[in-house]
Amino acid sequence: MDYFAQQLINGLVLGSIYGLIAIGYTMVYGIVGMINFAHGDVFMIGGFIALISFLVLVSVGLTAVPVILLIVLLVSMAITALYGWTIERIAYRPLRHSFRLAPMLSAIGMSFVLTNFSQVSQGARVKPVPPIVTGGYTLHEGESGFVVQLSNIQIVVVITTIVLLGLFTWLVSRTRLGRDMRACEQDQTMAALLGVDVDRTISMTFVIGAALAAVAGMMYLLYYGLVDFFMGFVAGIKAFTAAVLGGIGSLPGAMLGGLAIGLIETFWSAYFSVEYKDVAAFSILIVVLIFMPTGLLGRPEVEKV
Amino acid sequence: MSASLPASSPPASNGSEPVGAGFILKKAVLSALVALGLFSLMVGVRTEAGQSGQLEYWTRFGELASLVGAVFVGSIVVELLRLWLGPRGGLGSFVPASVQSGLSVAGRYLAPALLIFTLLVPVIFYNQRYILDLGILVLTYVMLGWGLNVVVGLAGLLDLGYVAFYAVGAYSYGLLSTTFGLSFWICLPLAGILAAFWGVLLGFPVLRLRGDYLAIVTLAFGEIIRLVLINWQDVTGGPNGISGIPRPSLFGIPLTPGPDGLAAMLGIPFSPTHRIVFLFYLILALALLTNWVTIRLRRLPIGRAWEALREDEVACRALGINITTTKLTAFATGAMFGGFAGAFFATRQGFISPESFTFQESALVLAIVVLGGMGSQLGVALAALAMIGGFELFRSLEVYRMLVFGLAMVLVMIWRPRGIVGHRSPTVFLEKSKSISSDLVKEGHG
Amino acid sequence: MSSAPILALENLTMRFGGIVAVNALSFSAQRKQITALIGPNGAGKTTVFNCITGFYKPTSGVIRLTHDDGTQYEMQKLKDFNISKQAKVARTFQNIRLFPGMTALENLMVAQHNALMRASGLTLLGLLGVPSWRTAEQSAIDNAVFWLKRVGLLDRADDAAGNLAYGDQRRLEIARAMCTGPALLCLDEPAAGLNARESAALSELLLSIRSDHGTSILLIEHDMSVVMEISDRIVVMDYGVKIAEGTPRDIRDDPKVIAAYLGTDEEEAAAVLEAEA
Ligand SMILES: Nc1ncnc2c1ncn2[C@@H]1O[C@H](COP(=O)(O)OP(=O)(O)OP(=O)(O)O)[C@@H](O)[C@H]1O
Ligand SMILES: [Mg+2]
């Protein structure tokens, strides 16, 4: 039971990270109808920027951990958002009204570019960081001596995720920008006719998605204590899996899917085999889609003939 | 969605701004600022794990400055080019119409000419091992492209895990030959059948998914296969793969220096090049078989049903076409060709490991199909030549190779979203075969 | 020949969530006749078609089709593709659904898919190019040419369907449906968007399909001149229920029908009728 509780905590933390990335996929999909294959790499870039800004801050003599964390968070969100904006501008906007596969391939190309850019500019070796947020609480001590722990970093990840989700939900449901986004999702031409700046709205979608990915990248850095140039691929695929599992286009679905993938992965590693954890996640995706062809929370597609 | 809008939809909001020196300068400054933001930390600061495992960093402001400068100059150049090329500007309008029409005319002669040239490659370049190897590589991708073209180009099903079937073919041959000692010529059909079988196995439950759901499921399937290959050590050899896979024989006659080898039988001195030439013609034959079968299938009801499915699934159902079996056959046919190619890959390398079957490989083959112009056999061959050849040309760029390759992919898509060959040729005609502009051809939802 | 009507709907109901698009509808279409299904926008006509042709599974009710030889099919139980393949019902769509990137001729070849599949020995014989396949293919082309001629599109045979003019596309869709060799042809607003001359040609075409080929027709149409001219019987729907049924003459003078179309109540409509008389 204790072991189970511990895995549950670990799974939820991992799931939060996936969920943050998944939101970026789902938002872009909802509004421009394409799989943004480069999004996983945007997450990776976010992790790198967090790492570098952390290093720089420490070396200039800053010691207060909360202050460092806050600055790192803001810097990586800002710069990564700029990446999101640039990618849309260069690789997707010219293909906005093009055929379905062209933007997808352009995205795959962009993903290669980002992976390689980071490999070239920061080297191929894994970058470890010392634990930044340390300590934690012991929740329960079992008779067998197994201890259920909740570390501070886990708390940071979960709280950051919840706060950002709250902020984000407010943004989408209550602000002008959110309304424009939902309008573009329904019908871009009509939205444009009614005075919505479609270009700007789509840009903002990428910016927000990238900012959330940056948060995920930073959380990943803090939680696992390392980044490398290739981490975007696997995390990206899994977050996309999460978005599809939750029902692509649905924001709560993305978070739900992220949590589901995080839990599946953690529990599978804990009870069966670590090697096959990804196989388990992907297999469950396939099984869920067979029975719910539009994911857990996706709107069923009705085709009028 | 918006994807169905015509390309001439409302112009971008910045399209009407006056273009002058000030404007160009302003744009260049903005681009440089953006570049500064992007590269500030990623390029300006270099991190590396030091001796003690402690992370260190040093600054590279020189590089940063030159990069930002390059973006500034580049932006000016692009704007000037845009001015010079016309008001709509950009790469999009720079579609040489002459190349387009020229290609369709030359197409009739291009394909045979290309074929004759390919047949002659081993003769012309007999002593250039590098070119022969490259030729084999290109032909392998031509074959993979033609195989995937059945699924993506004809049936309009998006398959992001095609490499899985390539892997199934390769491992089928690798395992059957090393454990049971079966010969290449027995394993080749088996590899195709097994791959097709896996295609059906995957396709059966998932083919009713539409669009990007299908895409992600195929991607997941590709990853599952790769992960199983890595982890199922007892059977697949894990990350180390399978080595010592037998080389193919010319229907039982080995291409070895021994007394029963081909060279001895023909009474000519042995040369290792014989095997390379043999492999070259082997993959050429396999690729041509793929091409021939695909061209025939297109003219049969099944192939027409594939294309009809890509055009309009609902109409197909109303015409009594069983879309599940139709999709399955497309999936299985594509998988089978992938399996053949995989068996060839295994026998050529003599060694296989999961590393050869990553998502990048699937993406590359898909890029070949899309760049070729979906559904066009000639286009796919040209695209494979351009992509693989181009990738080789970039070899000197070393670490920057993938960077350039990725950028090239983006630019090519912007330049020609519909691929090199932008038209479809009908499968049957009464009077005259008129090619159909790709603007009319749909790309499917599945 | 069977004496049962070719198509009989019994208490057909189709719900979408809260909307009852078709409500306990019963009517029948007689063999070798043209039956028109009319009603104001949103009455549920297309939904009835979709139930008949298997795109929707009806919430309840029975749709029975009887072939000339007496074989019966309950359409709500058939798989969608079997409705064309076995029950021999072909249809067109309110929003034309051709294969735009394929030529007119290819469109008609696709329509003969099932026959050609058999002839090609499930592709194997066709791949080898055996003579029996070649003859089958040629006769399919001949059939397609026949229908292209009938709808006046022979000279456009090699043009992409997506490049044809609107009226031509409508006729090509009818030709494509006829190429499946249907016992019942369901047409969803075939005259929509046609000019007067084209509508007249369409009426002629439909009449000849009925008399020369013995195909029964079920027709949804808003163009009353076409409906009144060619229908043998008319069924009128409004809000998912049948409000009238009869010959064109009966329907023309039915105040309920006029009221439904004008959106007024019955007395007013009756008054309008009287004033006209
Ligand atoms: N798939 C669906 N989901 C929900 N509602 C539907 C669906 N299909 C049809 N409806 C509803 O059923 C009602 C009947 O629609 P239907 O298309 O059958 O009308 P119609 O008689 O063909 O009208 P029109 O003459 O305009 O074509 C409408 O209110 C429509 O919105
Ligand atoms: Mg209708």
Side-chain angles (χ1 to χ4, degrees):
Chain A
M1 194 57 222
D2 286 349
Y3 187 61
F4 179 85
Q6 181 69 63
Q7 299 311 327
L8 189 66
I9 294 173
N10 297 350
L12 288 176
V13 173
L14 181 62
S16 304
I17 296 178
Y18 286 150
L20 285 173
I21 313 175
I23 288 178
Y25 277 113
T26 257
M27 272 170 59
V28 167
Y29 190 89
I31 205 158
V32 279
M34 65 167 281
I35 303 176
N36 179 8
F37 259 100
H39 192 62
D41 295 283
V42 171
F43 154 79
M44 176 270 298
I45 294 276
F48 264 96
I49 290 173
L51 169 91
I52 297 168
S53 47
F54 171 73
L55 263 185
V56 173
L57 286 178
V58 169
S59 77
V60 297
L62 218 57
T63 46
V65 172
V67 179
I68 295 185
L69 286 185
L70 193 67
I71 298 179
V72 168
L73 183 73
L74 292 178
V75 168
S76 52
M77 276 174 87
I79 296 186
T80 313
L82 193 60
Y83 273 87
W85 182 85
T86 313
I87 292 169
E88 195 270 336
R89 211 43 217 269
I90 294 179
Y92 306 152
R93 187 173 297 181
L95 291 168
R96 181 91 49 80
H97 301 295
S98 186
F99 305 97
R100 183 168 65 107
L101 281 175
M104 177 181 258
L105 279 175
S106 178
I108 292 176
M110 210 62 216
S111 153
F112 289 167
V113 169
L114 289 177
T115 309
N116 205 248
F117 164 66
S118 132
Q119 181 189 3
V120 170
S121 65
Q122 295 295 326
R125 304 234 302 268
V126 174
K127 307 268 183 297
V129 281
I132 301 158
V133 183
T134 49
Y137 303 93
T138 302
L139 294 185
H140 183 257
E141 204 162 338
E143 279 131 47
S144 56
F146 187 85
V147 189
V148 183
Q149 277 182 325
L150 181 62
S151 62
N152 283 338
I153 172 63
Q154 288 178 324
I155 297 175
V156 169
V157 171
V158 171
I159 288 185
T160 315
T161 307
I162 291 174
V163 168
L164 277 166
L165 272 186
L167 205 72
F168 177 72
T169 314
W170 168 80
L171 194 80
V172 172
S173 57
R174 293 263 182 273
T175 63
R176 166 94 206 246
L177 175 66
R179 211 176 58 221
D180 288 357
M181 280 163 71
R182 280 175 288 139
C184 288
E185 211 168 295
Q186 299 282 325
D187 187 337
Q188 275 181 30
T189 320
M190 196 61 212
L193 289 176
L194 294 176
V196 174
D197 186 341
V198 175
D199 279 344
R200 200 185 71 102
T201 310
I202 292 178
S203 278
M204 283 313 289
T205 309
F206 277 84
V207 163
I208 296 171
L212 290 178
V215 178
M218 176 181 166
M219 297 300 135
Y220 185 95
L221 174 76
L222 295 178
Y223 193 51
Y224 291 101
L226 51 88
V227 288
D228 68 81
F229 78 98
F230 207 68
M231 74 183 197
F233 176 67
V234 178
I237 290 196
K238 278 203 224 138
F240 184 61
T241 304
V244 172
L245 188 65
I248 194 148
S250 151
L251 297 173
M255 204 60 220
L256 183 71
L259 291 177
I261 294 284
L263 287 170
I264 292 165
E265 208 181 300
T266 315
F267 278 112
W268 195 277
S269 316
Y271 289 100
F272 301 101
S273 68
V274 189
E275 291 86 28
Y276 286 103
K277 67 180 165 78
D278 293 353
V279 174
F282 293 138
S283 307
I284 285 184
L285 169 82
I286 296 183
V287 172
V288 168
L289 285 186
I290 289 170
F291 294 104
M292 301 169 141
T294 49
L296 296 171
L297 298 185
R299 264 171 271 132
E301 267 181 51
V302 270
E303 190 180 24
K304 287 204 177 178
V305 289
Chain B
M1 278 217 83
S2 55
S4 61
L5 282 172
S8 58
S9 41
S13 52
N14 57 359
S16 52
E17 276 176 48
V19 180
F23 170 77
I24 293 177
L25 210 62
K26 195 176 120 201
K27 206 156 182 197
V29 170
L30 276 177
S31 305
L33 280 178
V34 169
L36 183 65
L38 292 178
F39 299 140
S40 55
L41 291 180
M42 285 302 281
V43 175
V45 180
R46 172 75 155 93
T47 55
E48 196 56 89
Q51 235 77 55
S52 56
Q54 186 77 8
L55 211 53
E56 297 163 354
Y57 79 94
W58 60 94
T59 54
R60 291 185 299 194
F61 294 135
E63 280 93 333
L64 178 61
S66 42
L67 249 176
V68 172
V71 169
F72 181 78
V73 175
S75 168
I76 292 180
V77 170
V78 167
E79 283 305 317
L80 286 177
L81 273 179
R82 204 175 278 195
L83 258 185
W84 176 56
L85 286 174
R88 258 201 73 233
L91 282 156
S93 69
F94 188 59
V95 177
S98 53
V99 169
Q100 171 58 40
S101 59
L103 206 64
S104 64
V105 175
R108 212 154 297 158
Y109 307 100
L110 187 59
L114 216 60
L115 178 62
I116 291 170
F117 175 73
T118 313
L119 281 168
L120 291 179
V121 161
V123 181
I124 303 171
F125 301 103
Y126 186 78
N127 287 322
Q128 279 157 289
R129 171 83 194 256
Y130 172 73
I131 298 222
L132 290 182
D133 277 335
L134 185 58
I136 292 174
L137 192 67
V138 169
L139 284 173
T140 312
Y141 280 96
V142 170
M143 169 149 187
L144 284 171
W146 277 341
L148 184 61
N149 194 23
V150 171
V151 183
V152 180
L154 294 186
L157 303 166
L158 186 48
D159 184 352
L160 289 178
Y162 190 60
V163 77
F165 305 118
Y166 189 42
V168 168
Y171 273 82
S172 301
Y173 175 56
L175 290 172
L176 288 173
S177 63
T178 50
T179 41
F180 301 110
L182 295 181
S183 86
F184 177 75
W185 295 101
I186 294 176
C187 290
L188 183 68
L190 283 179
I193 290 168
L194 279 169
F197 170 76
W198 277 95
V200 172
L201 210 65
L202 168 72
F204 197 69
V206 307
L207 280 177
R208 71 198 181 95
L209 296 174
R210 290 173 65 86
D212 300 306
Y213 287 93
L214 181 64
I216 187 69
V217 165
T218 50
L219 196 161
F221 178 70
E223 281 299 294
I224 290 177
I225 293 271
R226 192 177 63 86
L227 290 166
V228 169
L229 291 179
I230 292 178
N231 291 308
W232 198 11
Q233 306 242 359
D234 305 340
V235 174
T236 63
N240 299 328
I242 304 174
S243 49
I245 299 171
R247 303 303 193 158
S249 56
L250 186 68
F251 301 105
I253 310 167
L255 295 152
T256 49
D260 53 352
L262 182 70
M265 278 178 71
L266 295 177
I268 52 172
F270 173 80
S271 152
T273 312
H274 292 166
R275 201 186 78 226
I276 307 299
V277 170
F278 173 67
L279 285 173
F280 186 93
Y281 284 118
L282 177 59
I283 185 65
L284 181 61
L286 284 173
L288 288 179
L289 177 78
T290 309
N291 186 32
W292 180 80
V293 170
T294 311
I295 289 177
R296 292 278 323 206
L297 284 177
R298 269 194 77 210
R299 295 184 184 146
L300 287 170
I302 189 70
R304 280 202 200 103
W306 290 340
E307 290 201 77
L309 204 61
R310 177 193 67 203
E311 297 284 312
D312 194 326
E313 200 175 307
V314 168
C316 281
R317 284 195 278 169
L319 295 175
I321 296 175
N322 182 343
I323 54 172
T324 314
T325 50
T326 306
K327 283 181 180 180
L328 267 183
T329 49
F331 221 60
T333 309
M336 182 181 72
F337 292 136
F340 288 152
F344 173 81
F345 177 77
T347 193
R348 179 204 162 193
Q349 300 288 100
F351 162 75
I352 47 174
S353 76
E355 252 173 61
S356 309
F357 307 105
T358 56
F359 170 69
Q360 269 85 342
E361 216 59 23
S362 290
L364 181 59
V365 181
L366 184 66
I368 287 174
V369 173
V370 175
L371 175 61
M374 306 222 312
S376 160
Q377 297 292 99
L378 178 62
V380 167
L382 292 176
L385 184 64
M387 297 271 269
I388 306 301
F391 203 60
E392 277 305 307
L393 284 182
F394 296 151
R395 188 175 280 284
S396 58
L397 296 172
E398 291 169 24
V399 284
Y400 294 94
R401 187 151 76 134
M402 278 311 274
L403 195 80
V404 174
F405 184 70
L407 268 183
M409 236 164 112
V410 173
L411 291 180
V412 165
M413 276 302 120
I414 293 173
W415 174 54
R416 302 227 62 165
R418 245 13 243 288
I420 305 174
V421 178
H423 55 81
R424 169 184 178 272
S425 51
T427 57
V428 58
F429 59 91
L430 281 188
E431 300 270 303
K432 177 162 165 285
S433 175
K434 303 178 191 168
S435 60
I436 298 167
S437 152
S438 61
D439 294 333
L440 293 172
V441 179
K442 296 269 178 290
E443 20 165 32
H445 298 280
Chain C
M1 189 181 287
S2 170
S3 62
I6 182 144
L7 180 77
L9 272 63
E10 290 162 24
N11 282 316
L12 182 75
T13 300
M14 182 76 218
R15 278 203 191 87
F16 299 105
I19 307 172
V20 187
V22 180
N23 195 356
L25 179 72
S26 302
F27 74 86
S28 52
Q30 298 304 319
R31 203 169 295 280
K32 312 214 185 314
Q33 287 199 352
I34 297 180
T35 309
L37 185 60
I38 66 170
N41 291 113
K45 306 177 297 290
T46 301
T47 308
V48 171
F49 263 33
N50 284 338
C51 290
I52 296 173
T53 52
F55 284 94
Y56 296 152
K57 276 268 159 286
T59 316
S60 65
V62 177
I63 306 167
R64 186 171 293 114
L65 187 101
T66 314
H67 278 178
D68 287 357
D69 63 6
T71 330
Q72 289 207 332
Y73 299 91
E74 293 209 357
M75 315 281 275
Q76 78 278 4
K77 293 183 186 157
L78 287 184
K79 281 205 170 130
D80 55 11
F81 63 91
N82 276 335
I83 285 175
S84 166
K85 194 175 171 182
Q86 295 177 358
K88 299 271 163 226
V89 177
R91 75 172 286 182
T92 64
F93 295 88
Q94 186 166 353
N95 310 305
I96 305 173
R97 279 181 172 267
L98 288 166
F99 306 119
M102 300 173 90
T103 64
L105 179 62
E106 283 181 304
N107 268 272
L108 302 196
M109 294 297 280
V110 173
Q112 305 176 60
H113 176 79
N114 286 312
L116 285 174
M117 265 319 251
R118 243 173 286 123
S120 72
L122 300 174
T123 305
L124 274 183
L125 299 180
L127 211 51
L128 301 174
V130 300
S132 72
W133 154 248
R134 285 175 195 284
T135 47
E137 188 185 32
Q138 191 51 51
S139 71
I141 294 178
D142 293 343
N143 188 29
V145 167
F146 172 82
W147 280 107
L148 283 170
K149 230 183 258 166
R150 279 306 294 275
V151 299
L153 288 173
L154 192 56
D155 54 332
R156 307 300 304 270
D158 297 328
D159 286 317
N163 266 343
L164 299 182
Y166 188 81
D168 291 352
Q169 294 198 6
R170 282 244 173 253
R171 275 176 294 137
L172 182 61
E173 208 188 7
I174 296 174
R176 188 179 68 179
M178 286 310 293
C179 274
T180 63
L184 175 68
L185 175 65
C186 301
L187 302 170
D188 199 342
E189 302 195 15
L194 301 190
N195 61 33
R197 197 168 44 84
E198 287 174 321
S199 301
L202 177 78
S203 298
E204 228 167 276
L205 175 69
L206 297 188
L207 285 172
S208 88
I209 285 178
R210 180 194 60 176
S211 46
D212 303 348
H213 298 273
T215 308
S216 316
I217 296 179
L218 185 61
L219 171 76
I220 296 180
E221 189 47 70
H222 283 302
D223 184 337
M224 283 307 140
S225 63
V226 173
V227 172
M228 293 298 164
E229 187 188 332
I230 66 171
S231 313
D232 298 300
R233 268 191 97 66
I234 299 179
V235 176
V236 190
M237 284 180 78
D238 195 15
Y239 294 111
V241 296
K242 182 170 81 181
I243 57 168
E245 182 174 3
T247 61
R249 183 183 303 272
D250 302 339
I251 298 302
R252 194 194 309 263
D253 301 332
D254 190 331
K256 266 201 275 184
V257 177
I258 295 165
Y261 268 94
L262 295 178
T264 56
D265 59 35
E266 238 170 273
E267 277 108 74
E268 269 180 69
V272 172
L273 265 184
E274 262 160 46
E276 255 182 30

